[in-house]
Amino acid sequence: MRRVLQLAQRGRGRVSPNPRVGTLVVAPDGRILAEGSHQQYGSQHAEVAALHTIDSGEARGGTLYVNLEPCCHHHKTPPCTQAIIDAGIKRVVAAIKDPYPLVNGGGFRSLVRAGIEVSVGVLSSEAGYLNRGFLSHVSRGRAWCAAKIALSLDGKMADRDGQSKWISGESARKLAHQMRADHDAVLVGAGTVRLDDPELTVRTVSGPNPVRIIIAPNSELPLTSKIAQSSSAVRTILVIGDGPHAPIPPGIESLRIPLVDGQISPSVLLERLPALGITSVLIEGGAGVLSRFLKAGVLDEISIAYAPSVIGMGLSPFDSFIPESWENRPRYRVTRLKRYGEEVVITYSSSLGDAFLPE
């Protein structure tokens, strides 16, 4: 199943809003006959892609491993369950059930009715996290939302003049690029673009560039910024308000969201993104954006790289956030902790983020 999850990763940046799926077909004698993955939205599903690479009858009596319940309905492609049945597979080992309403256990039932043994639950937590964007979309109607923050020991993300390059070291920055490649989109506010002029691309690791989302209620994006200059090469979306706005740079898409108290609603934005093929978002700043998403209660996960330096008077990531009460302040739990060079990276998950993932 670990190999299946590796195969599923090949769909990063290309299959959303569909899930990332990998498949392994094993002969009765234990030989690996075929591997497959879903590699493009609208293309063959992983199970069919794998079965099509072997001769008819070769998989008869074998086992098919897959990280998500095979589909049982006609959509852009025929049902995978029928292909599995036709191939003579005798056992299917799956990680998790697919909560999509047209599947939701129906795929497993179709296989069992055909006399195929079905086992579910192998590496379910890993499989759920791999497809957290898809699961969030299906279960909650919105994209998964994470944040990545680099902080000094005293909890500052920049000094009082806005200087922040570089708080973290090379190893932690490499991790940040890996996180970008693992999300459909990366999001910042227009203020971060003006101050830091980031590229928001994947450069130090191998992986797809995420869609770049810039929150700018009045579309105030500098034409000379790296993002504006590279919009023809990397898909970029400018999130603007529903009122008058400045001209939008060429090659950049726009998404209008009604303003609430003069600001874009994080909840509405996350609900709108799956229709654009985006089911997971990584927020990289700035402090105002982070505070608004925290206040909206939609930050599923926060990864913080703590660097061994002290900034003193400066900017904290949630300075703009005021909880409704002490009792109702946001709470997270530690889910991962790892050292990268001189930095310690701790990932915190919210109860909402955990709610729909497998045990």
Side-chain angles (χ1 to χ4, degrees), residues 147-220:
K148 184 271 295 179
I149 311 169
L151 294 181
S152 62
L153 288 181
D154 53 339
K156 301 301 192 300
M157 61 190 299
D159 67 14
R160 60 182 180 179
D161 297 321
Q163 174 66 31
S164 62
K165 291 185 178 179
W166 294 101
I167 292 178
S168 56
E170 183 177 346
S171 296
R173 293 201 297 273
K174 183 176 180 179
L175 172 65
H177 284 255
Q178 291 173 341
M179 293 176 67
R180 287 178 184 175
D182 197 39
H183 288 78
D184 292 333
V186 59
L187 182 150
V188 298
T192 295
V193 176
R194 289 193 297 270
L195 184 63
D196 296 338
D197 195 20
E199 295 182 60
L200 302 182
T201 55
V202 175
R203 300 185 299 280
T204 61
V205 299
S206 176
N209 283 321
V211 178
R212 301 179 300 193
I213 300 176
I214 316 301
I215 294 184
N218 300 310
S219 68
E220 62 279 15

